[in-house]
Each structure stands twice: as structure tokens, then as C-alpha cells.
């Protein structure tokens, strides 16, 4: 069986490797537009921030290693067209036939429509080349004031890393609250306070209306009818599915261009599969399709797709959009749905938000920790959780994820969940116990 995979990211290479493990006789061809595969893009902000210098650390596996396992990797390829009826892929210099096709083209930068953007030099952070260019640019001591457009994961991680390089950072975000689609107001405000403590200028409920070059080769940004001057601009305004090649095809997509797949990773076209940042997946709480461009999701989908191609029944269970981020001295984690989402669904809920300490008071370094839980009052199921604390104490959040995933009911038994205790790690009645007790 000949399987062609479009895209050499987490999903594409995951599918390729699993196909070979399932059956070494599978003919697997990966087509990639860049000159590399298996880039760990989540590490790019930390590479720019000089946490490590060897760029090869960003790659999970080399092309040579994939070739040794029998996977043919074609790099620097320009994709032109997919002929689904005749099962052919047109590249710039050749046409490749397939028995099964996997579309794993990932995501691309969502570039805002800002006047003058084409007239200035701006940076992004999605590819290795972006990181190399930005890292080199930040070595210039004359680059002091940096504007980041967008306060998502990349924006905040870059803000921390560039600030620690001695740069003065301004973030402009169009939403009224930080991470408003991931966190409720309580956690958003704590993250905003964190940025203020760390001298990051945060301009919320605003956007850049115009960019212009200044006479001294700097950039002028018009924000709220006021011009500000910056040495460097980074666009971190989110991602969108990289599916423009299929715009006029038979492939079923949502209104934002994300490919629609079923629980097996199959599209509406026979023998065509898709996974990762270019498609939508089912939200396990809402049962609605959602766009969740996360590496963890992409990797899990890869196994499901490869198994089904090899006639091994496998299903993707969905997502509760779990995520975690470190922002200077704090970390924030979330899973499930927010209170805002629950209200929009007219779900009857009960919530609790509490502040406690991360461990016993007689040991040094005791710090505040915050937790919000959201429960469906009709089913008594935990449907959402959000936490903020230091990078060590936040790890207790991992025990909340399976409670949401498995739709555990909040009752007296769950309130008594047997969490591990020792003075350096927690208090005898942990913040999780306290929050659950207020929902019972």
C-alpha cells in the first residue's frame, strides 16, 4: 500500500512512523515544503531566549533517521494540486499517485489586516527560519523596544524570553482580557498583574491601526490614535489552518478553512485522512467541533490515522483543550470549558474560585496558589478547571484533567480523593480538596 503524507510536522511524521511500525511493507512518502521535518515549534521562543544554542535540539528526528526506517521524505517541495478522483498529487516537478492520502499541512500565521504592514520589516515565529532570524536580530544592542502584536501562547512566551534578554516589551491585544477564550476573568487578571510586575506594557482592547517606517529605520505603530516608536515588531496574532490549496476542492472544511474529519481521522473523501493543526476535532465536553492547534492533539491523531489506514480500528476520543503556560514566575493551566462558555451554552453551573497556599507554612518558600472549578449542576460533572501558581505547584493540576476527561461526578467520595502529601509539596487538605468540598 502506498501512502502519501502532505506535511512533515507532528502529525505527518507521527503517521509515517506508525505506518512503518504497523507494517514495514507500507510504502510511505512524506512531502514537505521546508528543508526539514519534525520541528518542535513549541520550543522556538526558548531557542530565541537562549535557553539552548543548538538548533538541532528542536528536531525530534532527522530526515536521515526517517529514511533509514524506510520512509521517503521529499523536502523543499511546492504543492500545486490534489486530484482526489484519480488519486494523484501534483508537485512543481512531478506527479505522485497514492492509495491513501494524509493531509497534515498544519497551520500558518494569521496575519492581521493592518495598514502599512507591507511597508515595514516584521517578524513571526512559526518556522526555524523565523527563530534564527529573530534570535540574530535580538543580539543587536540597538534593538531595545519591541512590540508584540497578540497575547496568545507565542506572544506571552516571547515576551518573557525577550524581556530576559534585556528588551523592553509592549504587547497589544485586541481582546478586553488576557487569554479571554481560555481563562475566566479571575485568572486573566492574575496573569495581567504578573506582566505588570515584570515590567511588560500590556495594551488591552486595542489594535494597531497603521504601521509606518520612521526616518531612523525604526517602526511607528499607531495604537489608539497615538504613534509609538519600536525597534522591532513581532506578529503573534494566532494561527489558521494551512489549507488554502484545497479551497476550491471537494474537501469539506469549516468557514475558517479547517478540514472536517470524523473520529477515525477520515475526511469526506474516500481514502483521504487529515489530522493536526489543519483540521477541526470534537470537544469532549460540548460535543461540538473545535479548532485546537496543539502539538499534543496532533501526536494523538497521528496514531489513530495510521492505525485506521492499516485496518486497525482506532478512534480519537476528542479534546478538552488542556494547556499550560509559564509566564515569568507564574504558570497557568486549564482544561475543559470556561464559565463564559458554559453560560453561552445555557448550562446550569456551579463555580468556585479560591486562593490558598501551595505547601505548609513552616517550610520556606510558601506561595499563593489559585484554583477555579466549574461543575455542571444537572449532571454533577466537573466540566472545567483553571489554576495559577508557581511552576512547581502548578503540576498538581494534572490530577484534575482526568476528572474532567472521565466526567467524574463531584460527590463526597471525590472530595476525599487520596492526593499525596508531604510538607514541601502541599498541605494536608490541599487546595483541590478545598475546592471540591465547596461544590459537594
Amino acid at each position: 500500500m502506498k501512502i502519501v503524507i502532505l506535511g512533515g510536522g507532528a502529525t505527518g511524521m507521527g503517521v509515517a512512523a506508525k505506518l512503518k511500525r504497523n507494517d514495514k511493507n507500507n510504502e510511505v512518502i512524506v512531502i514537505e515544503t521546508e528543508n526539514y521535518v519534525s520541528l518542535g515549534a513549541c520550543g522556538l521562543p526558548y531557542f530565541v531566549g537562549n535557553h539552548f544554542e543548538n538548533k538541532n535540539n528542536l528536531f525530534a528526528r532527522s530526515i536521515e533517521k526517517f529514511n533509514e526506517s524506510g520512509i521517503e521524505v521529499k523536502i523543499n517541495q511546492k504543492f500545486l494540486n490534489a486530484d482526489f478522483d484519480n488519486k494523484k498529487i501534483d508537485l512543481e516537478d512531478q506527479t505522485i499517485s497514492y492509495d491513501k492520502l494524509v493531509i497534515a499541512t498544519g497551520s500558518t500565521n494569521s496575519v492581521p489586516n493592518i495598514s502599512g504592514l507591507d511597508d515595514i520589516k516584521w517578524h513571526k515565529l512559526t518556522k526555524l527560519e523565523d527563530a534564527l532570524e529573530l534570535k540574530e536580530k535580538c543580539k543587536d544592542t540597538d534593538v531595545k523596544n519591541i512590540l508584540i502584536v497578540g497575547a496568545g501562547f507565542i506572544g506571552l512566551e516571547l515576551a518573557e524570553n525577550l524581556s530576559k534578554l534585556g528588551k523592553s516589551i509592549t504587547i497589544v491585544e485586541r481582546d478586553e482580557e488576557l487569554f479571554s477564550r481560555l481563562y475566566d476573568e479571575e485568572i486573566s487578571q492574575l496573569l495581567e498583574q504578573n506582566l505588570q510586575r515584570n515590567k511588560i506594557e500590556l495594551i488591552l482592547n486595542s489594535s494597531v491601526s497603521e504601521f509606518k517606517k520612521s526616518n531612523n529605520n525604526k517602526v511607528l505603530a499607531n495604537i489608539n490614535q497615538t504613534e509609538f516608536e519600536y525597534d522591532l515588531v513581532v506578529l503573534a496574532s494566532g494561527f489558521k489552518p494551512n489549507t488554502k490549496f484545497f479551497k476550491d476542492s471537494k474537501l469539506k472544511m469549516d468557514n475558517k478553512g479547517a478540514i472536517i474529519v470524523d473520529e477515525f481521522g477520515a475526511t469526506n473523501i474516500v481514502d483521504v485522512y487529515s489530522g493536526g493543526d489543519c483540521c477541526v476535532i470534537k470537544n469532549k465536553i460540548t460535543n461540538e467541533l473545535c479548532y485546537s492547534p496543539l502539538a499534543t492533539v496532533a501526536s494523538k491523531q497521528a496514531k489513530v490515522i495510521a492505525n485506521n489506514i492499516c485496518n486497525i480500528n482506532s478512534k480519537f476520543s476528542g479534546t478538552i483543550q488542556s494547556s499550560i503556560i509559564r509566564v515569568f514566575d507564574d504558570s497557568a493551566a486549564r482544561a475543559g470549558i470556561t464559565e463564559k462558555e458554559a453560560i453561552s451554552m445555557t448550562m446550569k453551573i456551579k463555580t468556585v474560585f479560591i486562593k490558598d497556599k501551595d505547601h505548609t507554612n513552616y517550610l520556606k518558600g510558601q506561595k499563593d496558589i489559585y484554583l477555579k472549578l466549574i461543575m455542571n449542576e444537572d449532571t454533577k460533572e466537573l466540566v472545567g478547571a483553571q489554576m495559577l501558581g508557581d511552576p512547581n505547584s502548578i503540576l498538581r493540576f494534572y490530577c484534575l484533567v482526568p476528572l474532567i476527561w472521565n466526567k467524574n461526578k463531584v460527590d463526597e467520595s471525590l472530595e476525599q480523593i487520596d492526593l499525596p502529601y508531604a510538607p514541601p509539596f502541599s498541605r494536608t487538605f490541599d487546595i483541590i480538596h478545598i475546592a471540591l468540598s465547596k461544590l459537594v
Side-chain angles (χ1 to χ4, degrees):
M1 182 165 49
K2 183 178 181 181
I3 304 104
V4 173
I5 301 169
L6 300 180
T11 302
M13 301 317 297
V15 171
K18 183 62 176 173
L19 285 170
K20 276 296 183 180
R21 289 197 296 272
N22 285 346
D23 185 348
K24 65 180 180 180
N25 293 317
N26 282 326
E27 182 183 357
V28 181
I29 301 172
V30 177
I31 298 169
E32 171 56 45
T33 57
E34 304 297 330
N35 63 358
Y36 52 79
V37 296
S38 285
L39 174 70
C42 298
L44 293 177
Y46 302 97
F47 176 63
V48 172
N50 295 333
H51 287 266
F52 57 98
E53 290 298 327
N54 187 353
K55 65 182 181 182
N56 292 325
N57 290 339
L58 289 163
F59 298 98
R61 196 175 176 190
S62 68
I63 293 175
E64 291 73 23
K65 289 294 183 183
F66 281 111
N67 288 338
E68 287 173 10
S69 67
I71 298 167
E72 183 181 355
V73 179
K74 295 179 177 289
I75 57 174
N76 297 318
Q77 296 293 319
K78 185 175 181 180
F79 173 75
L80 298 179
N81 180 59
D83 182 351
F84 296 125
D85 293 331
N86 296 300
K87 292 190 171 184
K88 292 180 180 180
I89 295 297
D90 294 327
L91 305 179
E92 195 169 35
D93 58 353
Q94 62 182 305
T95 296
I96 300 177
S97 62
Y98 65 84
D99 297 313
K100 306 280 187 179
L101 176 68
V102 179
I103 301 172
T105 47
S107 60
T108 186
N109 260 59
S110 180
V111 180
N113 184 18
I114 302 174
S115 176
L117 186 60
D118 293 338
D119 299 328
I120 67 164
K121 171 66 178 176
W122 54 272
H123 297 262
K124 57 186 178 67
L125 196 61
T126 56
K127 301 177 181 178
L128 176 62
E129 295 82 1
D130 301 332
L132 291 170
E133 185 179 17
L134 186 57
K135 187 181 179 78
E136 186 63 30
K137 187 69 176 177
C138 287
K139 291 178 182 178
D140 187 345
T141 55
D142 289 333
V143 174
K144 298 175 182 177
N145 298 308
I146 297 177
L147 173 66
I148 298 175
V149 179
F153 288 107
I154 295 296
L156 292 192
E157 288 169 346
L158 257 184
E160 176 185 344
N161 280 283
L162 295 179
S163 175
K164 289 180 176 179
L165 293 179
K167 310 301 181 182
S168 177
I169 308 298
T170 298
I171 301 175
V172 60
E173 167 59 45
R174 64 183 180 183
D175 289 341
E176 294 182 7
E177 296 174 3
L178 203 61
F179 271 138
S180 62
R181 282 172 287 183
L182 295 179
Y183 294 96
D184 287 312
E185 183 180 5
E186 299 94 333
I187 301 295
S188 291
Q189 288 183 349
L190 290 169
L191 286 169
E192 291 172 27
Q193 293 166 18
N194 173 299
L195 294 177
Q196 292 167 358
R197 286 197 309 272
N198 287 284
K199 305 294 189 292
I200 303 296
E201 184 178 1
L202 181 62
I203 307 175
L204 293 171
N205 196 26
S206 302
S207 58
V208 179
S209 59
E210 184 181 19
F211 282 119
K212 290 191 298 187
K213 280 184 179 179
S214 67
N215 294 329
N216 52 1
N217 208 30
K218 296 180 186 294
V219 175
L220 295 174
N222 191 310
I223 306 171
N224 297 333
Q225 284 75 53
T226 303
E227 276 193 342
F228 300 90
E229 188 176 70
Y230 299 99
D231 301 311
L232 188 145
V233 172
V234 181
L235 295 188
S237 45
F239 298 96
K240 63 180 180 181
N242 185 26
T243 57
K244 60 182 180 181
F245 331 99
F246 309 106
K247 184 179 179 182
D248 299 318
S249 74
K250 298 176 182 178
L251 196 62
K252 190 175 181 180
M253 297 185 281
D254 71 1
N255 58 3
K256 294 184 179 179
I259 299 169
I260 296 175
V261 296
D262 62 17
E263 58 193 346
F264 305 105
T267 70
N268 64 302
I269 298 175
V270 176
D271 293 329
V272 178
Y273 297 79
S274 183
D277 294 2
C278 61
C279 70
V280 290
I281 52 177
K282 186 183 76 172
N283 185 303
K284 198 173 170 70
I285 305 296
T286 67
N287 288 319
E288 299 290 334
L289 294 177
C290 68
Y291 184 59
S292 187
L294 298 170
T296 50
V297 171
S299 298
K300 294 164 192 168
Q301 283 183 294
K303 179 180 178 181
V304 171
I305 291 169
N307 281 344
N308 285 304
I309 287 175
C310 297
N311 295 317
I312 301 171
N313 188 51
S314 187
K315 293 182 180 180
F316 181 68
S317 297
T319 180
I320 56 173
Q321 297 186 295
S322 301
S323 65
I324 190 168
I325 184 173
R326 187 189 73 190
V327 184
F328 293 98
D329 49 341
D330 285 332
S331 293
R334 58 92 63 201
I337 61 175
T338 63
E339 180 178 356
K340 294 190 292 287
E341 287 178 294
I343 291 172
S344 70
M345 296 165 56
T346 66
M347 181 186 292
K348 187 180 179 183
I349 57 172
K350 184 176 181 179
T351 69
V352 58
F353 176 70
I354 57 174
K355 168 187 173 183
D356 199 56
K357 298 295 183 180
D358 61 350
H359 65 257
T360 51
N361 64 328
Y362 48 77
L363 289 182
K364 292 181 179 179
Q366 188 187 57
K367 296 178 181 177
D368 292 334
I369 186 169
Y370 302 83
L371 174 62
K372 180 170 186 175
L373 297 182
I374 303 159
M375 182 185 73
N376 183 328
E377 279 212 271
D378 290 329
T379 64
K380 303 301 180 186
E381 293 171 354
L382 199 62
V383 295
Q386 302 164 40
M387 181 181 284
L388 184 137
D390 79 5
N392 290 321
S393 63
I394 196 73
L395 295 179
R396 58 174 35 83
F397 187 83
Y398 280 77
C399 87
L400 291 170
V401 173
L403 302 185
I404 299 172
W405 181 263
N406 291 318
K407 300 185 177 181
N408 287 86
K409 293 188 182 299
V410 179
D411 54 19
E412 185 181 40
S413 175
L414 190 64
E415 179 192 352
Q416 298 171 16
I417 187 170
D418 196 7
L419 301 177
Y421 159 75
F425 302 103
S426 62
R427 305 208 292 175
T428 52
F429 204 59
D430 190 71
I431 189 171
I432 291 174
H433 292 120
I434 297 170
L436 287 172
S437 71
K438 293 181 180 297
L439 291 178
V440 173

